[in-house]
Amino acid sequence: TQLLEQSPQFLSIQEGENLTVYCNSSSVFSSLQWYRQEPGEGPVLLVTVVTGGEVKKLKRLTFQFGDARKDSSLHITAAQPGDTGLYLCAGGGYQKVTFGTGTKLQVIP
Amino acid sequence: GAGVSQTPSNKVTEKGKYVELRCDPISGHTALYWYRQSLGQGPEFLIYFQGTGAADDSGLPNDRFFAVRPEGSVSTLKIQRTERGDSAVYLCASSRHSNYGYTFGSGTRLTVV
């Protein structure tokens, strides 16, 4: 079974601060996805990374896939209250994706 | 439709009863997935359909759980003899064959009392 551990589990920060969330595994993944989930909703896909060492940017969010394709990070610059939510990494391919344990982020105005 | 639709949004049932949860995927998405999510946790894989057939049902916890997708579109997750431990949010997702990344519905919150 492929396991994805996320850290930290909880994060509460002030608006304007920067933060990084980590996603680690002992398994190699063909691709890795990041989702954000708000209460009462399903996860929403933010990005997919497929190449080791790949870096993708989405406005204030920067995603990196580890060289060995076993880990990933999500960095948020100047966090906004709208960034509040549960951040999930998910590894695998088309047929089945394994989700991480999640990082619950709260951005305080 | 524009998104993945799940009904009902909430379901409260008594222990031992049978329930059906429905998922209507995005039109044209051949792959459909069911996940289960407990509070504060990541979604847990249950079953994956490619077209009408279950390509991977390794996540179904036991034989009380069953899912169908008879026409390759709408899917129904069926749970027999429900137990309190079945209480969770059941999420459905769909995707195109060639894309990575899923589109999720809002889920069905199942509460077994």
CSV table of all heavy atoms in Angstrom, one decimal, chain A residues 4-26:
chain,number,residue,atom,x,y,z
A,4,LEU,N,1.0,8.3,1.9
A,4,LEU,CA,1.4,9.6,1.7
A,4,LEU,C,1.2,10.4,3.0
A,4,LEU,O,0.1,10.5,3.5
A,4,LEU,CB,0.7,10.4,0.6
A,4,LEU,CG,1.0,10.0,-0.8
A,4,LEU,CD1,-0.1,10.5,-1.8
A,4,LEU,CD2,2.4,10.7,-1.2
A,5,GLU,N,2.3,10.8,3.6
A,5,GLU,CA,2.3,11.5,4.9
A,5,GLU,C,2.4,13.0,4.6
A,5,GLU,O,3.3,13.4,3.9
A,5,GLU,CB,3.4,11.1,5.8
A,5,GLU,CG,3.3,9.6,6.2
A,5,GLU,CD,2.2,9.4,7.3
A,5,GLU,OE1,1.8,10.4,7.9
A,5,GLU,OE2,1.8,8.2,7.4
A,6,GLN,N,1.5,13.8,5.2
A,6,GLN,CA,1.6,15.2,5.0
A,6,GLN,C,2.0,15.9,6.3
A,6,GLN,O,1.6,15.5,7.4
A,6,GLN,CB,0.2,15.8,4.5
A,6,GLN,CG,0.0,15.5,3.1
A,6,GLN,CD,-1.3,16.1,2.6
A,6,GLN,OE1,-2.2,15.5,2.1
A,6,GLN,NE2,-1.4,17.5,2.7
A,7,SER,N,2.7,17.0,6.2
A,7,SER,CA,3.1,17.7,7.4
A,7,SER,C,3.1,19.2,7.1
A,7,SER,O,3.5,19.6,5.9
A,7,SER,CB,4.4,17.3,8.0
A,7,SER,OG,5.4,17.5,7.0
A,8,PRO,N,2.7,20.1,8.0
A,8,PRO,CA,2.1,19.7,9.3
A,8,PRO,C,0.7,19.3,9.1
A,8,PRO,O,0.1,19.4,8.0
A,8,PRO,CB,2.2,21.0,10.1
A,8,PRO,CG,2.1,22.1,9.0
A,8,PRO,CD,2.8,21.6,7.8
A,9,GLN,N,0.1,18.7,10.1
A,9,GLN,CA,-1.3,18.3,10.1
A,9,GLN,C,-2.2,19.5,10.2
A,9,GLN,O,-3.3,19.5,9.6
A,9,GLN,CB,-1.5,17.3,11.2
A,9,GLN,CG,-2.9,16.6,11.1
A,9,GLN,CD,-3.0,15.6,12.2
A,9,GLN,OE1,-2.2,15.4,13.1
A,9,GLN,NE2,-4.2,14.9,12.2
A,10,PHE,N,-1.8,20.4,11.0
A,10,PHE,CA,-2.6,21.7,11.2
A,10,PHE,C,-1.7,22.8,11.1
A,10,PHE,O,-0.5,22.8,11.5
A,10,PHE,CB,-3.3,21.7,12.6
A,10,PHE,CG,-4.3,20.6,12.8
A,10,PHE,CD1,-3.9,19.5,13.5
A,10,PHE,CD2,-5.5,20.6,12.3
A,10,PHE,CE1,-4.8,18.4,13.7
A,10,PHE,CE2,-6.5,19.6,12.5
A,10,PHE,CZ,-6.1,18.5,13.2
A,11,LEU,N,-2.2,24.0,10.6
A,11,LEU,CA,-1.4,25.2,10.5
A,11,LEU,C,-2.3,26.4,10.6
A,11,LEU,O,-3.3,26.5,9.8
A,11,LEU,CB,-0.7,25.2,9.1
A,11,LEU,CG,0.4,26.2,8.9
A,11,LEU,CD1,1.5,26.1,10.0
A,11,LEU,CD2,1.1,26.0,7.5
A,12,SER,N,-2.0,27.2,11.5
A,12,SER,CA,-2.8,28.5,11.7
A,12,SER,C,-1.9,29.6,11.6
A,12,SER,O,-0.9,29.7,12.4
A,12,SER,CB,-3.5,28.5,13.1
A,12,SER,OG,-4.3,29.6,13.2
A,13,ILE,N,-2.1,30.5,10.6
A,13,ILE,CA,-1.2,31.6,10.4
A,13,ILE,C,-1.9,32.9,10.2
A,13,ILE,O,-3.1,32.9,9.9
A,13,ILE,CB,-0.2,31.4,9.2
A,13,ILE,CG1,-1.1,31.2,7.9
A,13,ILE,CG2,0.6,30.1,9.4
A,13,ILE,CD1,-0.3,31.2,6.6
A,14,GLN,N,-1.2,34.0,10.3
A,14,GLN,CA,-1.8,35.3,10.0
A,14,GLN,C,-1.8,35.6,8.5
A,14,GLN,O,-0.9,35.2,7.8
A,14,GLN,CB,-1.0,36.4,10.8
A,14,GLN,CG,-1.1,36.3,12.3
A,14,GLN,CD,-2.5,36.6,12.8
A,14,GLN,OE1,-3.0,35.9,13.6
A,14,GLN,NE2,-3.1,37.7,12.4
A,15,GLU,N,-2.7,36.4,8.1
A,15,GLU,CA,-2.8,36.9,6.7
A,15,GLU,C,-1.4,37.5,6.4
A,15,GLU,O,-0.9,38.3,7.1
A,15,GLU,CB,-3.9,37.8,6.5
A,15,GLU,CG,-4.1,38.4,5.1
A,15,GLU,CD,-5.3,39.3,5.0
A,15,GLU,OE1,-6.0,39.5,6.0
A,15,GLU,OE2,-5.5,39.8,3.9
A,16,GLY,N,-0.9,37.2,5.2
A,16,GLY,CA,0.3,37.8,4.7
A,16,GLY,C,1.6,37.0,4.9
A,16,GLY,O,2.6,37.2,4.3
A,17,GLU,N,1.4,36.0,5.8
A,17,GLU,CA,2.6,35.1,6.1
A,17,GLU,C,2.8,34.1,4.9
A,17,GLU,O,1.9,33.8,4.2
A,17,GLU,CB,2.4,34.4,7.4
A,17,GLU,CG,2.5,35.3,8.6
A,17,GLU,CD,2.4,34.5,9.9
A,17,GLU,OE1,2.2,33.3,9.9
A,17,GLU,OE2,2.5,35.1,11.0
A,18,ASN,N,4.0,33.5,4.9
A,18,ASN,CA,4.3,32.4,3.9
A,18,ASN,C,4.2,31.1,4.6
A,18,ASN,O,4.4,31.0,5.9
A,18,ASN,CB,5.7,32.6,3.3
A,18,ASN,CG,5.8,34.0,2.6
A,18,ASN,OD1,4.9,34.5,2.1
A,18,ASN,ND2,7.0,34.5,2.6
A,19,LEU,N,4.0,30.0,3.9
A,19,LEU,CA,3.9,28.7,4.5
A,19,LEU,C,4.3,27.7,3.5
A,19,LEU,O,4.2,27.9,2.3
A,19,LEU,CB,2.5,28.4,5.1
A,19,LEU,CG,1.5,28.3,4.0
A,19,LEU,CD1,0.9,26.9,4.0
A,19,LEU,CD2,0.4,29.3,4.2
A,20,THR,N,4.7,26.5,4.0
A,20,THR,CA,5.0,25.4,3.1
A,20,THR,C,4.4,24.1,3.7
A,20,THR,O,4.5,23.9,4.9
A,20,THR,CB,6.6,25.2,3.0
A,20,THR,OG1,7.1,26.4,2.4
A,20,THR,CG2,6.9,24.0,2.0
A,21,VAL,N,3.8,23.3,2.9
A,21,VAL,CA,3.2,22.1,3.3
A,21,VAL,C,4.0,21.0,2.6
A,21,VAL,O,4.3,21.1,1.4
A,21,VAL,CB,1.7,22.0,2.9
A,21,VAL,CG1,1.1,20.7,3.2
A,21,VAL,CG2,0.9,23.1,3.6
A,22,TYR,N,4.2,19.9,3.3
A,22,TYR,CA,5.0,18.8,2.7
A,22,TYR,C,4.2,17.5,2.6
A,22,TYR,O,3.3,17.2,3.4
A,22,TYR,CB,6.2,18.5,3.6
A,22,TYR,CG,7.1,19.7,3.7
A,22,TYR,CD1,7.0,20.6,4.8
A,22,TYR,CD2,8.1,20.0,2.8
A,22,TYR,CE1,7.8,21.7,4.9
A,22,TYR,CE2,9.0,21.1,2.9
A,22,TYR,CZ,8.8,22.0,3.9
A,22,TYR,OH,9.6,23.1,4.0
A,23,CYS,N,4.6,16.8,1.5
A,23,CYS,CA,3.9,15.5,1.2
A,23,CYS,C,5.0,14.5,1.0
A,23,CYS,O,5.8,14.7,0.0
A,23,CYS,CB,3.0,15.7,0.0
A,23,CYS,SG,2.3,14.2,-0.6
A,24,ASN,N,5.1,13.4,1.8
A,24,ASN,CA,6.2,12.5,1.7
A,24,ASN,C,5.8,11.1,1.6
A,24,ASN,O,4.8,10.7,2.2
A,24,ASN,CB,7.2,12.7,2.9
A,24,ASN,CG,7.8,14.0,2.9
A,24,ASN,OD1,8.7,14.3,2.1
A,24,ASN,ND2,7.4,14.8,3.8
A,25,SER,N,6.5,10.3,0.9
A,25,SER,CA,6.2,8.8,0.8
A,25,SER,C,7.5,8.1,0.5
A,25,SER,O,8.5,8.6,0.1
A,25,SER,CB,5.3,8.6,-0.4
A,25,SER,OG,5.0,7.2,-0.6
A,26,SER,N,7.4,6.8,0.8
A,26,SER,CA,8.6,5.9,0.5
A,26,SER,C,8.4,5.3,-0.8
A,26,SER,O,9.3,4.6,-1.3
A,26,SER,CB,8.7,4.8,1.6
A,26,SER,OG,7.4,4.1,1.6
